[in-house]
Amino acid sequence: MKKKRGEEEKMMAWLQLWTMGLIATMTLSISFTIAEDSGFPVVEGEKRGLIEIVKKESHPVLFRQKREWIWNSLYVEEEKPAPNPYKIGQLKSSKAVEVKKFKIEGEGANTIFTVDDKGDLFVTTSLDREEKNLYHLTARMFDGNNKLIEDSGDFVVQVTDINDNTPVFPRTYNGSIMERSTIGTKVVEVRATDADDPTTANGELRYSLTQDGEYSAFQIDSNTGVISCKIQTLDRETKSQYVVVVKAQDMRGMASGSTATTSVTITITDVNDNIASFTRNIYELQVPEDHKVNEKIGILEVVDRDQIQNKEPIFTILSDNNNMFNIERNRNKDGNLMLKKALDYETRNNYTFTVRVREDIRFPADSENRPVTTAQVNIRVLDVDEPPVFSQSIYTFTVMEELLVNNIGTVTARDPDRANKRIRYSILDKDCPISINPITGQLSTLRKLDRELEATHMFQVKAQEEPSGLESFVKVNITVQDTNDNKPELAVDEIFVCENDVTNTVIGTLRATDKDDQIAHFSFSLASASSNFSIKDYGIIVILFVMRKRYQKDSLASMKNSGEIHEQLVTYDEEGGGEMDTNGYDVSILTSACHDGSLLRHSDRHPHPSLYAMVQKTPQPTACKGDMAAMIEVKKDEADHDRDGFPYDTLHIYGYEGLESLAGSLSSLESSSTASNLDYDFLNDWGPRFRTLAELYGVDGPEYYHQY
């Protein structure tokens, strides 16, 4: 019992370690030998019971049984022939069991790899590391009764590499470098691959240039594969392309290593390192004299060993002829000889000058190539039949108006050719008042000209070589000069005189104008003697004054009968508002004014000016009886003393606004002619125009009517 109790205490201590997670840090060699080393007897059944207990736990991964496997390193050399299976190792265990049986599982188990009862492991076929380099397998050991003695043990079979692959360049490489580059300038980087193990010499590559290519100008880095320039005298014009052969070799470049080669094409790019050169020493050109200005005469061709994008010739004319010609570079970088000024065969029929070409190059030119930088240009001008040439580009003449002039001026033209043909003149405008002599070109008037009707005459004259040759045209302007052939014209504003104007009152201003172009000085006087008016001359301007006051009321009254006197109320252009009209015009004011006698005429008083004057519509204070009469008197007085106002007595606008109307509604439904309490007798004092209105309201006209 004591022995069993001690075993249980031992077990409990072990389980406590397991539950604390410490079992995860223990080595895989822990097994049931713990009990054996401690002196505790362990029986097979008890051992199995312990294993079953452990398997029932929720975290069996934390428990590992001690292995008794004894492994050697297992390696298989790739590509090793296997006509018969060959041994690569043995599965061993430290268990002392007489009868054993082994089983393997995993990648290639029982096909590529087999095991016998002794635990010897065999390979049955040739393996390729590049296809698969590791095989993971599991082994179990059983006794003679097929009872598991040793649980699964994992092991790996590693396929070792041999140099069975050659380097490979995955693509074609091309590079470029600018000519005259410095030593060490990078051209291109090449890269090869090797399927062998890169951690061994089998997969380590080295690069070199072979003698099969043009390697003298280039070099390559053996580790990186970078090709660079080896010299600084690359010249595209001498050699524009190189082909080098690159070799890649494994085994770190040892002679026993496998190799691969590839060709790399290197293009030399161009720079402007050559001067353009004339293709000829002398250029012979012909040009007609009527060649248009700023157009090409000919081409001065130049050659340049550089490519066209680096062909930059600069042309110069080395004589005074650069004012007649210039050189422009064309699309092909040659020189276009251009005409700057018009040619004239009769003046000069040939030109000879020297041209030069140069370039701004980046590098000194080769001494072996000497360019032709100067050339001679000979130009021969060809005679062309040209039209007549006028002596002036435009002609301007003057002529006095109202005169017939035989010689206004002369238009002249000549034949610029050596033939010097006769010229005939004509005017194209058929209605032109000017004629031209067809032989001499002399101009004259066909009729008298009037400056006030047309001050300038413009027309074209044609000059044509006889008999029917070339023709030219020129513009002619005739300016008509002025003479004093127009009478002054009097400019007078409307003048009014008031009967009560005092002496020396200015009543108007007189002005005079003259259609003539000359500066005019006018003098003014009255056409007939008058003792009532006088004028004063202030230059152009004349002031009209009243000399004495003279009343002519009787004579004015005799000119018009009473019916013609302008005493009338002018209709205002407004639309009435019906009943609302009473808000705009206070009739009671007129009525009260009539009743108090302020609007009636009396024979014992002095004559009054017109009752009706111009009235502005302005805001007025609150109305009361008598205001309307006072307002009318003020406006009447203003009109009487307004010299620029209208002389007749007319009320144009009735602008007084009252606060309310006493007239009431104008509707006939609510009023009658007999119900009114207003007295309209004052209408008889308003003159003959209101007589009919007064009679309609039953007023005795003769009693109140006074002749105005």
Side-chain angles (χ1 to χ4, degrees):
M1 293 295 293
K2 292 181 179 179
K3 184 176 182 180
K4 186 175 182 181
R5 187 179 295 112
E7 182 178 350
E8 290 176 352
E9 291 175 355
K10 187 69 174 180
M11 181 62 69
M12 291 299 295
W14 186 89
L15 289 175
Q16 288 177 355
L17 290 173
W18 179 81
T19 57
M20 292 173 63
L22 299 178
I23 192 65
T25 64
M26 300 176 66
T27 63
L28 296 176
S29 63
I30 295 177
S31 67
F32 295 107
T33 57
I34 297 175
E36 295 175 353
D37 295 339
S38 303
F40 295 101
V42 180
V43 297
E44 188 70 27
E46 293 173 343
K47 186 188 293 185
R48 287 197 303 269
L50 178 62
I51 295 174
E52 290 176 359
I53 291 173
V54 173
K55 287 183 177 179
K56 290 180 180 179
E57 294 298 324
S58 61
H59 302 286
V61 71
L62 299 177
F63 171 76
R64 294 297 299 272
Q65 183 181 2
K66 179 185 176 182
R67 302 294 184 224
E68 298 293 339
W69 296 105
I70 300 175
W71 303 107
N72 292 324
S73 297
L74 301 179
Y75 296 96
V76 178
E77 182 180 317
E78 71 168 331
E79 303 298 341
K80 184 176 181 179
N84 296 312
Y86 61 91
K87 181 180 176 180
I88 62 172
Q90 187 179 25
L91 306 179
K92 294 181 181 181
S93 176
S94 61
K95 292 290 185 180
V97 180
E98 296 180 358
V99 181
K100 299 177 182 178
K101 183 179 180 181
F102 298 90
K103 290 184 179 180
I104 60 174
E105 297 176 354
E107 298 174 333
N110 304 316
T111 55
I112 299 175
F113 305 101
T114 60
V115 64
D116 60 9
D117 293 340
K118 297 179 181 180
D120 293 334
L121 191 64
F122 296 88
V123 176
T124 63
T125 185
S126 176
L127 300 180
D128 185 1
R129 189 202 69 84
E130 286 72 41
E131 182 178 344
K132 189 172 180 61
N133 62 351
L134 294 175
Y135 292 86
H136 298 272
L137 297 125
T138 302
R140 288 184 175 88
M141 183 175 65
F142 299 87
D143 61 9
N145 297 323
N146 204 26
K147 182 183 294 185
L148 181 64
I149 298 174
E150 193 72 49
D151 199 359
S152 59
D154 298 333
F155 64 96
V156 176
V157 177
Q158 183 174 351
V159 183
T160 60
D161 184 47
I162 64 172
N163 191 16
D164 60 339
N165 290 280
T166 60
V168 175
F169 287 98
R171 64 182 183 87
T172 302
Y173 292 92
N174 296 306
S176 63
I177 184 173
M178 187 175 64
E179 63 176 329
R180 299 182 183 271
S181 295
T182 58
I183 297 174
T185 303
K186 179 181 176 180
V187 180
V188 67
E189 180 180 353
V190 298
R191 181 72 65 180
T193 60
D194 195 316
D196 291 326
D197 189 354
T199 63
T200 65
N202 298 332
E204 291 190 28
L205 303 180
R206 297 292 184 268
Y207 301 94
S208 62
L209 298 179
T210 69
Q211 295 182 358
D212 297 334
E214 300 165 312
Y215 66 93
S216 61
F218 303 96
Q219 57 191 2
I220 189 170
D221 188 292
S222 60
N223 293 318
T224 63
V226 174
I227 300 175
S228 61
C229 182
K230 189 178 179 182
I231 61 176
Q232 60 182 5
T233 57
L234 291 174
D235 186 13
R236 187 199 68 85
E237 290 74 37
T238 302
K239 188 173 181 61
S240 61
Q241 192 176 81
Y242 292 81
V243 178
V244 298
V245 178
V246 179
K247 180 178 71 173
Q249 189 171 21
D250 57 16
M251 296 301 292
R252 300 186 180 96
M254 294 188 298
S256 60
S258 302
T259 63
T261 59
T262 185
S263 296
V264 179
T265 301
I266 300 175
T267 302
I268 310 301
T269 59
D270 185 49
V271 296
N272 188 10
D273 59 343
N274 291 277
I275 299 177
S277 175
F278 285 114
T279 59
R280 287 181 276 175
N281 293 323
I282 299 177
Y283 292 87
E284 299 285 349
L285 300 174
Q286 295 181 350
V287 57
E289 63 173 333
D290 62 349
H291 190 84
K292 293 183 179 179
V293 176
N294 296 325
E295 288 195 0
K296 180 179 66 177
I297 296 175
I299 299 177
L300 307 181
E301 295 180 352
V302 292
V303 294
D304 194 326
R305 299 180 67 223
D306 296 323
Q307 292 178 331
I308 190 168
Q309 68 269 18
N310 292 315
K311 181 181 178 182
E312 301 293 336
I314 301 173
F315 300 94
T316 307
I317 298 177
L318 300 180
S319 65
D320 294 339
N321 289 313
N322 56 9
N323 62 345
M324 288 291 299
F325 309 96
N326 71 316
I327 304 175
E328 296 179 358
R329 201 163 55 200
N330 60 24
R331 181 180 300 178
N332 296 325
K333 305 295 182 69
D334 294 323
N336 285 343
L337 185 61
M338 309 294 292
L339 180 64
K340 291 177 64 175
K341 291 185 178 180
L343 298 172
D344 185 9
Y345 173 82
E346 289 72 27
T347 303
R348 185 172 179 177
N349 59 13
N350 65 81
Y351 296 86
T352 300
F353 50 88
T354 301
V355 295
R356 182 176 65 187
V357 63
R358 64 180 180 87
E359 270 194 87
D360 296 329
I361 59 177
R362 295 181 54 181
F363 302 96
D366 295 335
S367 59
E368 299 178 358
N369 302 314
R370 297 184 178 275
V372 179
T373 59
T374 59
Q376 180 176 312
V377 177
N378 297 327
I379 299 177
R380 187 163 65 93
V381 181
L382 303 179
D383 188 21
V384 176
D385 189 9
E386 299 175 272
V389 177
F390 287 96
S391 60
Q392 300 179 27
S393 59
I394 186 171
Y395 290 87
T396 301
F397 302 101
T398 59
V399 63
M400 296 297 296
E401 67 173 332
E402 303 299 335
L403 295 177
L404 291 176
V405 181
N406 293 326
N407 186 5
I408 299 175
T410 303
V411 175
T412 59
R414 64 178 181 85
D415 181 8
D417 301 321
R418 288 187 177 180
N420 195 20
K421 298 178 181 178
R422 293 182 59 184
I423 305 299
R424 190 171 187 85
Y425 304 94
S426 61
I427 295 178
L428 300 181
D429 189 358
K430 296 181 179 179
D431 297 330
C432 182
I434 309 298
S435 64
I436 188 170
N437 188 302
I439 305 300
T440 63
Q442 180 176 307
L443 300 174
S444 59
T445 57
L446 295 175
R447 61 176 182 270
K448 294 181 180 181
L449 305 180
D450 188 351
R451 191 200 65 84
E452 286 72 36
L453 295 179
E454 189 171 0
T456 302
H457 297 269
M458 294 182 293
F459 53 91
Q460 278 191 328
V461 172
K462 180 178 75 172
Q464 186 176 23
E465 296 178 356
E466 290 187 342
S468 59
L470 300 177
E471 57 188 25
S472 298
F473 301 89
V474 71
K475 182 179 179 181
V476 179
N477 293 329
I478 302 294
T479 301
V480 182
Q481 292 185 335
D482 185 44
T483 59
N484 190 10
D485 59 342
N486 288 279
K487 298 179 180 180
E489 295 180 1
L490 190 63
V492 183
D493 297 332
E494 190 171 3
I495 297 175
F496 301 95
V497 180
C498 298
E499 61 182 348
N500 57 354
D501 283 343
V502 298
T503 304
N504 293 329
T505 299
V506 178
I507 62 174
T509 302
L510 306 180
R511 295 177 179 84
T513 60
D514 194 329
K515 292 182 179 180
D516 293 325
D517 193 33
Q518 300 175 359
I519 298 177
H521 298 279
F522 303 102
S523 60
F524 297 84
S525 61
L526 294 175
S528 59
S530 174
S531 60
N532 293 331
F533 304 97
S534 66
I535 59 175
K536 292 184 179 180
D537 192 347
Y538 293 95
I540 300 178
I541 301 176
V542 175
I543 307 300
L544 185 62
F545 292 89
V546 176
M547 293 299 294
R548 64 188 182 89
K549 186 174 181 181
R550 181 179 180 182
Y551 293 98
Q552 297 181 349
K553 178 179 177 182
D554 295 339
S555 60
L556 290 174
S558 62
M559 294 172 60
K560 299 181 181 179
N561 56 38
S562 60
E564 293 176 343
I565 298 177
H566 290 184
E567 295 178 348
Q568 54 184 338
L569 181 64
V570 178
T571 304
Y572 57 90
D573 294 332
E574 297 183 15
E575 294 185 3
E579 300 296 330
M580 296 179 62
D581 227 1
T582 59
N583 295 329
Y585 305 97
D586 192 350
V587 182
S588 64
I589 300 300
L590 293 175
T591 304
S592 61
C594 180
H595 288 171
D596 62 16
S598 60
L599 297 182
L600 299 179
R601 288 207 47 171
H602 301 280
S603 58
D604 57 344
R605 296 182 182 179
H606 295 288
H608 292 281
S610 172
L611 174 64
Y612 309 104
M614 178 70 68
V615 179
Q616 300 273 339
K617 188 175 184 180
T618 57
Q620 298 291 339
T622 304
C624 63
K625 291 185 178 182
D627 285 350
M628 176 59 73
M631 181 196 68
I632 293 177
E633 290 294 332
V634 171
K635 296 300 180 180
K636 175 180 65 62
D637 186 66
E638 291 177 357
D640 289 343
H641 293 84
D642 185 2
R643 183 176 48 81
D644 295 328
F646 294 101
Y648 46 83
D649 300 327
T650 302
L651 182 62
H652 290 276
I653 299 175
Y654 181 78
Y656 185 89
E657 295 185 3
L659 295 179
E660 58 184 348
S661 174
L662 299 179
S665 174
L666 299 178
S667 173
S668 60
L669 298 177
E670 299 179 0
S671 63
S672 65
S673 60
T674 59
S676 175
N677 58 357
L678 297 178
D679 187 1
Y680 295 96
D681 292 343
F682 64 90
L683 292 176
N684 288 296
D685 297 299
W686 283 22
R689 296 298 181 94
F690 293 91
R691 182 183 302 171
T692 303
L693 184 61
E695 292 176 354
L696 290 176
Y697 281 83
V699 179
D700 189 4
E703 183 178 354
Y704 292 92
Y705 176 71
H706 302 279
Q707 180 67 32
Y708 195 80

